[in-house]
Amino acid sequence: MFGALRLPDTILFGEGKRRALGSAAARLGRRALICTDSRLSAQQEFSEALEDLRTAGVAVHVYDRTIPDLPIECIEDCAREATAFSPELVIGIGGGSCMDLAKLVAVVLAHGGPVSNYYGEFAVPGPVLPLVAVPTTAGTGSEVTPVAVVMDSGRGLKIGVASPHIIPRIAICDPALTMTCPARLTACSGADALAHAVEAFTSKRRPADPLLTEQQVFVGKNVLSDHFARLAVTNVFRFLARACRDGSDAEAREGLMLASLAAGCAFGTAGTAAAHALQYPVGNLTHTAHGDGVGALLPYVMQFNRSACTEDLADLAGIVGLGEAGMGAAERSQLFVDAVAELFASVGVPKTLAELGLAPGHDDEIATGALKAERLVKNNPRALDLQAMLAITRAAFTGDRAALLNA
């Protein structure tokens, strides 16, 4: 057995937990930079959070101009503005881009710029400003992970910064904050959470080297991350369609946020793989939401990978009640791949790259671009080369998943 986890010092989960923000933040510092967006900063819950912080003796500076997909210019702008305030901690409130902004600004304020100094794994040289993460969507899991993604417009690429130093110190997950998420955002975010869980659970197995966690941020499949991945898969299958049908379903919102949190705990150590690698260039070309991209790609990636992780996919099939007594692993694993595709289709996640808005003729560009995401490629359970990436991309564009059965 091999197990590893890297997590925040404190994780608070449950309805009303947002009201602990002031007290929790005050333990980390008395001057807080808040990274959020203009939609969230106008909401009553945000005003209540500011009052809670001030009551706890924490002075605040709000940066509410976070841009989706987090261009590098947004990080630089926030860091410049925050310098005069001299924050002692950084709070991210919102979706993945808001939390990624908080992480990367905490790095720049502690160690200087440019952001490109920290691309890749283990490039952050030491501790950053203490981070508090408060998610308002149920999908990214960024509140518990050691990674942030930035759009480097100069290179035309999304690039990851991966370091244990950027794991938030405190994660506060209040499902009530997701109640106003529209159905499309709920579906997109839920697809992201399931992709995190499935790719973590089926990620490459590595030898139990005592130094593995010192050499790699993402260490592949292990018994501890598997525990969280199973919980996430169970809850996405149980609650995603319900939350999309009725956004006021408190039990579904709670279950889906727990799924997102658990998936973050899983992939924050195990890592993700080919679906995320392919989404980077697809997202650059289509300018579509990350969750829609990985959701569209995941069934095709699973189909390609099935021969290398048959037992793992069969295990997940059993968790969500698929298959019958005496059915073999190969058949049960295919049932799970099909069920993921059906679940995503039922909530409106795009079924193909064409449906995502990708124009024809980008196969080589996507496949080549995906291979540049080395930390994701090396984590895939089945070896990936240009031909493999092309096969997945072409199948995902046309919707011909059967073409990957013998790939």
Side-chain angles (χ1 to χ4, degrees):
M1 283 190 183
F2 160 63
L5 287 175
R6 294 190 181 100
L7 295 173
D9 295 341
T10 301
I11 300 174
L12 303 178
F13 174 86
E15 185 172 353
K17 291 299 183 185
R18 67 187 184 279
R19 298 185 180 94
L21 176 60
S23 176
R27 291 191 280 109
L28 300 178
R30 293 293 171 173
R31 299 177 65 79
L33 168 67
I34 299 179
C35 298
T36 189
D37 60 40
S38 57
R39 183 184 69 84
L40 287 165
S41 68
Q43 294 185 357
Q44 178 63 30
E45 291 86 354
F46 187 81
S47 297
E48 292 171 357
L50 292 184
E51 182 60 30
D52 184 32
L53 286 161
R54 289 167 179 147
T55 299
V58 179
V60 298
H61 178 87
V62 176
Y63 182 90
D64 66 354
R65 301 192 298 279
T66 306
I67 299 172
D69 291 327
L70 195 55
I72 197 168
E73 294 80 5
C74 183
I75 302 164
E76 294 168 346
D77 182 54
C78 182
R80 277 193 303 269
E81 185 173 307
T83 299
F85 179 68
S86 299
E88 297 174 0
L89 70 152
V90 183
I91 302 172
I93 302 178
S97 292
C98 294
M99 289 185 284
D100 283 356
L101 174 61
K103 290 176 176 180
L104 294 173
V105 168
V107 173
V108 172
L109 291 176
H111 301 292
V115 178
S116 58
N117 286 349
Y118 312 109
Y119 290 168
E121 296 193 22
F122 290 120
V124 178
V128 304
L129 267 63
L131 284 155
V132 180
V134 185
T136 61
T137 63
T140 70
S142 185
E143 67 272 14
V144 294
T145 68
V147 64
V149 178
V150 58
M151 167 57 79
D152 188 320
S153 52
R155 305 186 190 195
L157 295 171
K158 285 184 179 179
I159 304 177
V161 174
S163 167
H165 291 303
I166 65 172
I167 298 172
R169 292 275 295 278
I170 300 172
I172 300 176
C173 305
D174 188 333
L177 293 175
T178 68
M179 296 293 281
T180 59
C181 284
R184 275 297 300 123
L185 178 57
T186 300
C188 168
S189 300
D192 195 18
L194 188 61
H196 291 154
V198 170
E199 291 208 300
F201 194 78
T202 59
S203 58
K204 185 175 180 178
R205 298 172 187 265
R206 292 180 170 85
D209 184 335
L211 296 179
L212 181 60
T213 54
E214 303 302 312
Q215 297 164 345
Q216 294 185 196
V217 175
F218 301 103
V219 299
K221 183 178 178 65
N222 66 86
V223 295
L224 293 176
S225 61
D226 278 358
H227 168 76
F228 288 103
R230 289 188 179 99
L231 172 58
V233 170
T234 299
N235 274 24
V236 172
F237 266 82
R238 184 177 176 189
F239 294 114
L240 178 58
R242 275 178 55 180
C244 291
R245 282 194 303 269
D246 179 7
S248 65
D249 185 334
E251 183 184 30
R253 290 295 193 186
E254 183 178 73
L256 207 51
M257 178 164 263
L258 184 58
S260 175
L261 170 62
C265 293
F267 95 85
T269 304
T272 52
H276 279 75
L278 285 159
Q279 193 281 329
Y280 280 5
V282 168
N284 291 342
L285 289 165
T286 62
H287 304 290
T288 48
H290 172 80
D292 278 345
V294 293
L297 286 158
L298 183 64
Y300 302 95
V301 169
M302 292 167 64
Q303 194 70 67
F304 175 82
N305 284 337
R306 189 173 69 100
S307 62
C309 55
T310 303
E311 293 291 341
D312 294 331
L313 293 173
D315 188 352
L316 294 178
I319 288 169
V320 297
L322 300 172
E324 301 172 358
M327 186 176 284
E331 192 172 357
R332 285 186 289 122
S333 67
Q334 187 61 53
L335 286 177
F336 185 73
V337 177
D338 295 341
V340 169
E342 291 164 8
L343 173 62
F344 285 175
S346 75
V347 296
V349 174
K351 297 186 287 293
T352 68
L353 296 182
E355 204 175 298
L356 201 64
L358 183 71
H362 291 287
D363 294 354
D364 289 341
E365 183 178 354
I366 292 169
T368 302
L371 287 170
K372 293 178 182 177
E374 294 181 10
R375 68 178 173 86
L376 304 173
V377 169
K378 70 183 181 182
N379 213 35
N380 202 65
R382 185 175 172 186
L384 294 168
D385 56 17
L386 182 59
Q387 289 307 117
M389 287 297 200
L390 282 169
I392 298 169
T393 302
R394 288 166 180 163
F397 183 80
T398 62
D400 186 12
R401 190 154 42 89
L404 296 168
L405 284 171
N406 299 310

